[in-house]
Amino acid sequence: EYKKDTEEIKKYQTDIDRLLNLIEKYGKLRLNEIAEVFNINKKEAERWANILEEHNLIKIHYPVIGSPILMKIEDEKHS
């Protein structure tokens, strides 16, 4: 029964939820990769990233050269 419930929840996930799941799974993703995967422009990908960062769900790293990197926030309790 729980499995059925989680399948239902997956149906209602937003793209931002899916993005957060990808970052949690892989640890980090570049902004340009996100734009490509979700078929959106970089400006929209950055808007999504900012929403997640504002809610302390990810951290955005801005390298000197290259695309910004969205990074998973490590759980400090387990460090």
Side-chain angles (χ1 to χ4, degrees):
E1 186 172 297
Y2 289 115
K3 184 172 181 160
K4 185 180 175 186
D5 289 343
T6 57
E7 292 300 321
E8 282 296 310
I9 291 168
K10 281 185 179 183
K11 287 182 189 176
Y12 300 108
Q13 276 191 331
T14 66
D15 284 339
I16 294 177
D17 293 327
R18 290 184 190 98
L19 171 57
L20 181 58
N21 289 338
L22 286 174
I23 294 167
E24 288 175 350
K25 181 176 181 179
Y26 295 105
K28 62 183 176 180
L29 289 170
R30 290 192 174 273
L31 194 71
N32 59 336
E33 294 171 325
I34 293 160
E36 189 176 319
V37 167
F38 288 93
N39 196 28
I40 58 175
N41 62 43
K42 289 180 186 175
K43 199 76 164 164
E44 184 69 4
E46 190 166 16
R47 190 177 77 77
W48 291 6
N50 286 329
I51 289 169
L52 293 173
E53 188 177 49
E54 286 170 10
H55 289 84
N56 298 314
L57 297 170
I58 65 161
K59 188 169 134 183
I60 305 172
H61 171 68
Y62 293 92
V64 176
I65 297 174
S67 182
I69 302 169
L70 285 63
M71 300 168 58
K72 176 180 174 179
I73 294 179
E74 296 300 324
D75 186 356
E76 294 176 8
K77 294 175 188 171
H78 298 294
S79 299

